[in-house]
Amino acid sequence: MRLRVEFTTEPFDLDEPPPHAVAAREVVQGAGLDAVDVGPFGNTVEGGADAVLTALDALLRASLGAGATRVSLQVNVVPGATEGSGG
């Protein structure tokens, strides 16, 4: 199974990325996922279920530990995709 996750961390800071956003970005960029898109208002990652779920655990721990007061997640199963297929 493949998963696509959209997430945001709060509070927002429009002047510079807050420490919790940097922590989340570092986790997903280092997680070996198939697709990672980080932006100022939302982030998307995609990969095999095991890799994504492991990354989400690390992301939540790192971002909350770095001061996030809220983390919003939307997790979707990628239809028709298997864990080994490209994104």
Side-chain angles (χ1 to χ4, degrees):
M1 177 186 323
R2 290 184 57 77
L3 300 176
R4 178 179 300 125
V5 177
E6 298 174 43
F7 70 91
T8 58
T9 62
E10 297 178 38
F12 295 112
D13 183 341
L14 296 177
D15 294 327
E16 63 183 66
H20 58 81
V22 173
R25 179 179 62 215
E26 288 173 351
V27 166
V28 296
Q29 288 177 332
L33 301 172
D34 299 333
V36 175
D37 181 23
V38 294
F41 300 109
N43 310 282
T44 305
V45 299
E46 186 174 316
D50 288 339
V52 169
L53 295 173
T54 298
L56 286 180
D57 177 64
L59 180 149
L60 290 169
R61 292 175 189 276
S63 59
L64 293 169
T69 58
R70 179 179 177 144
V71 179
S72 300
L73 298 169
Q74 181 176 358
V75 181
N76 295 294
V77 174
V78 177
T82 59
E83 194 161 320
S85 67

